[in-house]
Amino acid sequence: MSPRVILKLGGSVVTSKGLSGAIDTRTIDAIAGEVARRPDVPLLLVHGAGSCGHPEAARYGITGGINANNRRGVGETHRAVRRLNDAVVTGLREHDVDAIGISPLGAYFIEDGDIVAATTEQLGVMIDLGIVPVLHGDVVMDRTRGASILSGDRLVRTLAPALGIQRVGLATDVAGVLSRDGEVIPNLTPGDLPSTTIKGSTFTDVTGGMAGKLSELVVLAREGVPSEIFHVSRIGDFLDGSPHGGTHIHGG
Ligand code: IPE
């Protein structure tokens, strides 16, 4: 069997990030087509929140902790990102991909921002059956803060080692990690990062944009799992193992 693959769809590729709640169904349909054309790739998908979740998380101040005054934000944020998850799963199923939406809220527990419990073994069973689990960045209960945001990138970073996955790709709305003058940086190692200036995101992003993404992928690289960041239009190339013009992050 081919090796298992994790593909993360950035929130900015599946939503219109400036427009609150706007789901980009055309892009979802195009991505679903690419996945459907490669039925032999054992795949797990993760997507971010984009304009379905980040605005709610920011409005209710979720990253500052939850109390009786803002607890409504847990449900509002979760519902927003679930709505997006449903659209992604629907798009995939319309292309005959056996996708199932799975929310971290019911399977993960956090303490002061760090994952302390996660039930993930079932995901491996699904992948081996040819089912595509579709997880998403979510709001998750936190023992000390009440609730925390669990980003899709953190999910990717922890799921890859848990499921023995060595191929990790992140599809974004840019061609890769960009230097300050807008050029794709083709290779990054954890040692390069302190001396590298990258271009940041300007949208509401409670999980830190490209810098937040890189901090997770660097941990993954140190654990021996390489990852790749590329433009959403190159998903087919990534799934085929072909050059995609993006950034490879590896242990060095
Ligand atoms: C954030 O997930 C989840 C919520 C705000 C509920 P991500 O951090 O993975 O989302 P994107 O990819 O940056 O939009």
Side-chain angles (χ1 to χ4, degrees):
M1 198 193 276
S2 354
R4 294 170 174 176
V5 176
I6 293 183
L7 174 62
K8 191 216 165 185
L9 310 172
S12 55
V13 314
V14 285
T15 68
S16 304
K17 244 188 164 179
L19 296 171
S20 196
I23 296 175
D24 188 341
T25 45
R26 274 178 60 171
T27 300
I28 291 171
D29 183 63
I31 294 168
E34 296 292 340
V35 170
R37 275 191 277 286
R38 295 162 180 86
D40 296 331
V41 176
L43 186 64
L44 179 141
L45 274 173
V46 177
H47 64 80
S51 65
C52 299
H54 279 290
E56 290 77 5
R59 190 177 317 134
Y60 286 95
I62 291 196
T63 51
I66 296 293
N67 55 45
N69 297 324
N70 68 347
R71 67 161 190 243
R72 189 180 166 83
V74 176
E76 295 299 324
T77 305
H78 178 69
R79 274 163 61 84
V81 78
R82 278 279 339 160
R83 205 177 122 250
L84 175 59
N85 184 257
D86 206 48
V88 174
V89 169
T90 299
L92 287 159
R93 296 193 71 87
E94 279 170 357
H95 283 264
D96 282 337
V97 176
D98 269 324
I100 300 184
I102 298 186
S103 286
L105 176 59
Y108 283 77
F109 192 43
I110 287 188
E111 180 161 0
D112 211 14
D114 289 322
I115 297 170
V116 288
T119 310
T120 55
E121 214 182 316
Q122 74 283 7
L123 302 173
V125 177
M126 288 184 182
I127 299 168
D128 290 347
L129 283 170
I131 292 171
V132 177
V134 185
L135 284 82
H136 55 86
D138 204 357
V139 57
V140 173
M141 303 328 286
D142 183 313
R143 193 180 276 140
T144 50
R145 301 181 193 171
S148 281
I149 297 297
L150 175 59
S151 75
D153 301 318
R154 174 70 57 97
L155 279 171
V156 168
R157 191 255 273 177
T158 54
L159 282 171
L163 297 171
I165 294 179
Q166 283 284 326
R167 289 209 67 219
V168 172
L170 288 88
T172 70
D173 59 349
V174 287
V177 181
L178 303 181
S179 64
R180 204 159 36 187
D181 47 12
E183 300 287 322
V184 173
I185 304 172
N187 284 290
L188 269 175
T189 64
D192 294 334
L193 265 198
S195 57
T196 311
T197 316
I198 60 154
K199 229 174 140 156
S201 155
T202 48
F203 298 106
T204 308
D205 190 334
V206 295
T207 49
M210 187 59 90
K213 195 181 296 305
L214 279 177
S215 64
E216 300 293 349
L217 298 180
V218 159
V219 175
L220 199 54
R222 284 210 181 93
E223 289 171 0
V225 183
S227 55
E228 302 165 50
I229 302 184
F230 45 84
H231 191 261
V232 56
S233 61
R234 308 300 294 270
I235 282 178
D237 291 323
F238 164 73
L239 292 174
D240 291 341
S242 303
H244 48 59
T247 302
H248 292 253
I249 297 152
H250 45 86

